Amino acid sequence: MNEHEEEGFLGSSRELNRFKCTVSYDGTHYHGFQIQTNALSVQEKLEQALKRMHNEPVAVVGSGRTDAGVHARGQVFHFDSPLEIRMDKWTLALNSYLPKDIRIQSTEPIHADFHARHDVTRKQYRYHIYRSRLENPNRRLYWAHVPYGLDMDAIRAAAKVLEGEHDFTAFSSAKSDANHRVRTIKRLDIEERKVEDGEEIVLICEGNGFLYNMVRIIAGTLIDVGRGRSSIEQVQQALKLKERRLAGKTAPAHGLNLWWVAYD
Amino acid sequence: MNEHEEEGFLGSSRELNRFKCTVSYDGTHYHGFQIQTNALSVQEKLEQALKRMHNEPVAVVGSGRTDAGVHARGQVFHFDSPLEIRMDKWTLALNSYLPKDIRIQSTEPIHADFHARHDVTRKQYRYHIYRSRLENPNRRLYWAHVPYGLDMDAIRAAAKVLEGEHDFTAFSSAKSDANHRVRTIKRLDIEERKVEDGEEIVLICEGNGFLYNMVRIIAGTLIDVGRGRSSIEQVQQALKLKERRLAGKTAPAHGLNLWWVAYD
């Protein structure tokens, strides 16, 4: 066994194989997942790491965008490579070229027809709210702080109104370029946990697709309902009349986390 | 009521009153609590905020140091001020001059004999371990990552050995300038919680005083015991022989959090 083999590197052929990766990132220092001019993105860091491994450009195709400041526990992307690296070494090799705020969780070979964006069947986002009188500095990057009391029963009831298939025009940014705004929320659950200085409230939102800013607007709306600034009736009206102004504000990006992406 | 009064500012006399503050901070970007030349400290930020409120220097006296990168949920300090600000406005006023990674939690008037360092009767530190196969980028600033399995029963048994009054020479840095190294650990408990990708393990360490690096060396030792690299017998030997090399490595600073400081 030569040195390269010991390191898990078996050589290179010009035959391309497709790989599917799951990646976690702390979105704090990035202008979102997708490559942009003049702004740091997660995709750029991934392509830089792949380029250093391949000595040539390698394109990364993600499951979709995430906004500036949004985190991911389980973003998925694919790429093609001629490198023959032992499967258990791919994740380690990639991570060695990535900054600490981006960590590949798994790498697996996948058939050449797999497409990380087109083949998505479901996604789960989680919105993290920390309710306490005063701010906790160690939560400021990952939890949206809410200093007032929240009526959790009202929030849960309003969440039930949003579940299912609806036209979510009222819950999407004016910047959204989607024509068809009907989406299905398969699950919108609220988990709550008492901690020393307040409560952790996690909105779990699962669906077959999401409009631009949709989860953050849903989070902002449910917070408004919880503090009595909005009501179940108003949420129903927002869905029916498709008016953005009837929904709540867009909740801050740093509370949002792309939890997983599922494929058939 | 004039404008100042509405804002909670009642004026200033030259009579000094003493105040006790509790402060939380994210230690990531600081070289510890205590002021140092050429390195950013939490104390410096607090004194800058007080100086901006007073237009003159105001000294901050903390309950003790915390190392570079160590966090605090409940550090305590005192200061003297001639300002007459409505009590409920002090915390808000101070926070308005502080960066987001330092948050005053409470401010209260205290008798002039109170001393934030001399009068400490007990402190609680928490050491945060995140056990999972792969690193989670959103935990990297606040949790020490452990990728291997841990024998929690062995850790709990070793913790019981450390509880009580002992000479903790083996569990202190060579840099410690304390002559007398007998301390009492009133409580050394381990809390465990399963989360999606692993376990949160929190070491709760309460005592009447701590030597330099003591909690981090205890954490490093308990991790060694948990992975089978050390044993209860070796912990007992370390205490008895007072040899630093028999204890574990100093666990990383970012896992440590000064949870509270108690006074009589």
Side-chain angles (χ1 to χ4, degrees), chain A residues 204-250:
Chain A
I204 301 174
C205 189
E206 224 172 284
N208 61 351
F210 295 93
L211 299 164
Y212 188 58
N213 279 351
M214 185 169 142
V215 184
R216 288 167 59 191
I217 296 169
I218 287 174
T221 304
L222 293 180
I223 292 168
D224 276 356
V225 169
R227 64 189 293 202
R229 286 194 168 185
S230 183
S231 62
I232 295 162
E233 293 69 32
Q234 194 172 325
V235 173
Q236 286 164 331
Q237 281 294 95
L239 282 175
K240 189 177 161 191
L241 301 178
K242 299 169 198 157
E243 284 188 34
R244 173 69 188 85
R245 64 172 184 82
L246 293 174
K249 280 199 199 111
T250 307

Side-chain angles (χ1 to χ4, degrees), chain A residues 119-137:
Chain A
D119 298 351
V120 174
T121 54
R122 207 184 278 203
K123 284 185 181 185
Q124 186 185 103
Y125 281 94
R126 296 196 174 191
Y127 197 87
H128 294 87
I129 297 164
Y130 179 61
R131 206 207 62 71
S132 68
R133 197 174 58 86
L134 288 159
E135 287 170 82
N136 178 333

Side-chain angles (χ1 to χ4, degrees), chain B residues 161-181:
Chain B
V161 170
L162 292 165
E163 271 186 353
E165 187 182 87
H166 302 284
D167 184 317
F168 283 99
T169 299
F171 296 84
S172 69
S173 164
K175 280 185 265 175
S176 175
D177 52 8
N179 289 318
H180 179 70
R181 298 190 178 196

Side-chain angles (χ1 to χ4, degrees), chain A residues 42-230:
Chain A
V42 176
Q43 189 185 356
E44 185 185 335
K45 288 288 179 190
L46 294 170
E47 292 193 350
Q48 279 171 2
L50 285 164
K51 189 175 180 181
R52 286 183 63 187
M53 287 177 70
H54 291 76
N55 294 316
E56 63 181 338
V58 176
V60 157
V61 178
S63 78
R65 306 176 181 201
T66 56
D67 283 350
V70 170
H71 311 292
R73 166 179 172 271
Q75 170 68 294
V76 173
F77 66 91
H78 80 250
F79 66 93
D80 296 322
S81 170
L83 293 188
E84 289 172 22
I85 296 175
R86 261 176 39 201
M87 264 322 294
D88 59 331
K89 299 289 182 190
W90 265 108
T91 297
L92 284 173
L94 274 164
N95 279 335
S96 72
Y97 291 111
L98 285 166
K100 283 285 185 187
D101 54 4
I102 302 179
R103 293 286 94 184
I104 304 289
Q105 299 295 325
S106 66
T107 310
E108 53 180 300
I110 194 114
H111 56 87
D113 292 337
F114 174 80
H115 193 283
R117 189 170 67 253
H118 300 156
D119 298 351
V120 174
T121 54
R122 207 184 278 203
K123 284 185 181 185
Q124 186 185 103
Y125 281 94
R126 296 196 174 191
Y127 197 87
H128 294 87
I129 297 164
Y130 179 61
R131 206 207 62 71
S132 68
R133 197 174 58 86
L134 288 159
E135 287 170 82
N136 178 333
N138 285 19
R139 290 182 182 268
R140 79 191 188 289
L141 305 175
Y142 311 108
W143 296 80
H145 180 243
V146 168
Y148 26 77
L150 294 174
D151 178 341
M152 297 305 296
D153 290 337
I155 289 178
R156 288 202 170 85
K160 285 295 149 216
V161 169
L162 292 165
E163 269 185 353
E165 187 181 87
H166 303 284
D167 184 317
F168 283 100
T169 299
F171 296 84
S172 69
S173 165
K175 281 185 263 174
S176 176
D177 52 9
N179 289 318
H180 179 70
R181 300 191 176 193
V182 173
R183 296 290 183 280
T184 302
I185 294 183
K186 296 278 186 184
R187 180 185 176 201
L188 183 50
D189 282 341
I190 289 95
E191 286 185 357
E192 203 183 349
R193 187 167 84 100
K194 295 247 177 275
V195 288
E196 285 77 9
D197 308 303
E199 290 107 44
E200 296 178 348
I201 297 162
V202 182
L203 313 181
I204 301 174
C205 189
E206 224 172 284
N208 61 351
F210 295 93
L211 299 164
Y212 188 58
N213 279 351
M214 185 169 142
V215 184
R216 288 167 59 191
I217 296 169
I218 287 174
T221 304
L222 293 180
I223 292 168
D224 276 356
V225 169
R227 64 189 293 202
R229 286 194 168 185
S230 183

Side-chain angles (χ1 to χ4, degrees), chain B:
Chain B
M1 191 183 266
N2 68 30
E3 225 178 337
H4 265 132
E5 279 173 1
E6 273 182 62
E7 288 169 1
F9 184 79
L10 306 175
S12 166
S13 67
R14 287 318 303 174
E15 195 190 337
L16 290 176
N17 292 303
R18 184 154 289 188
F19 295 91
K20 176 189 173 199
C21 279
T22 303
V23 60
S24 301
Y25 48 85
D26 175 344
T28 307
H29 300 297
Y30 297 98
H31 267 263
F33 181 79
Q34 184 159 295
I35 283 189
Q36 301 186 23
T37 38
N38 302 323
L40 200 64
S41 66
V42 175
Q43 189 184 355
E44 185 185 334
K45 288 288 179 190
L46 293 170
E47 293 193 350
Q48 279 171 1
L50 284 164
K51 189 175 180 181
R52 287 184 62 187
M53 287 177 70
H54 291 77
N55 294 317
E56 62 181 339
V58 176
V60 157
V61 179
S63 78
R65 306 178 182 202
T66 55
D67 283 350
V70 170
H71 311 291
R73 167 179 171 270
Q75 170 68 294
V76 173
F77 66 91
H78 79 249
F79 65 93
D80 295 323
S81 171
L83 293 188
E84 289 171 24
I85 296 175
R86 258 175 42 200
M87 264 323 293
D88 59 332
K89 299 290 181 190
W90 265 108
T91 298
L92 284 172
L94 275 164
N95 280 334
S96 73
Y97 291 110
L98 286 165
K100 283 286 186 187
D101 54 4
I102 303 178
R103 293 287 94 184
I104 304 290
Q105 299 295 325
S106 66
T107 310
E108 52 180 300
I110 194 114
H111 55 87
D113 293 336
F114 174 81
H115 193 283
R117 189 169 68 253
H118 300 156
D119 297 351
V120 174
T121 53
R122 207 184 279 203
K123 284 185 182 186
Q124 187 185 103
Y125 281 94
R126 295 197 174 190
Y127 197 86
H128 294 86
I129 297 164
Y130 179 62
R131 206 207 64 70
S132 69
R133 198 173 59 85
L134 288 160
E135 288 170 82
N136 178 334
N138 284 20
R139 290 182 183 268
R140 78 191 188 289
L141 304 175
Y142 311 108
W143 296 81
H145 180 241
V146 168
Y148 25 78
L150 293 173
D151 179 341
M152 296 306 296
D153 291 337
I155 288 178
R156 288 202 170 86
K160 285 294 149 215
V161 170
L162 292 165
E163 271 186 353
E165 187 182 87
H166 302 284
D167 184 317
F168 283 99
T169 299
F171 296 84
S172 69
S173 164
K175 280 185 265 175
S176 175
D177 52 8
N179 289 318
H180 179 70
R181 298 190 178 196
V182 173
R183 295 290 183 280
T184 302
I185 294 184
K186 296 278 185 182
R187 180 184 175 201
L188 182 50
D189 282 341
I190 289 96
E191 286 185 357
E192 203 184 348
R193 187 167 84 100
K194 295 247 176 275
V195 287
E196 286 77 10
D197 308 302
E199 290 107 45
E200 296 178 348
I201 297 162
V202 182
L203 313 180
I204 301 174
C205 189
E206 222 172 285
N208 60 352
F210 294 93
L211 298 164
Y212 188 58
N213 279 353
M214 185 169 142
V215 183
R216 289 168 58 191
I217 296 169
I218 287 173
T221 303
L222 293 180
I223 291 168
D224 276 356
V225 169
R227 62 189 294 203
R229 286 194 167 183
S230 183
S231 62
I232 295 163
E233 293 70 30
Q234 195 173 323
V235 173
Q236 287 165 330
Q237 281 293 95
L239 282 176
K240 188 176 162 193
L241 301 177
K242 300 168 198 161
E243 285 189 33
R244 174 68 186 87
R245 65 173 182 82
L246 293 174
K249 281 199 199 111
T250 307
H254 71 272
L256 188 62
N257 196 312
L258 173 55
W259 209 249
W260 50 248
V261 181
Y263 300 87
D264 271 339

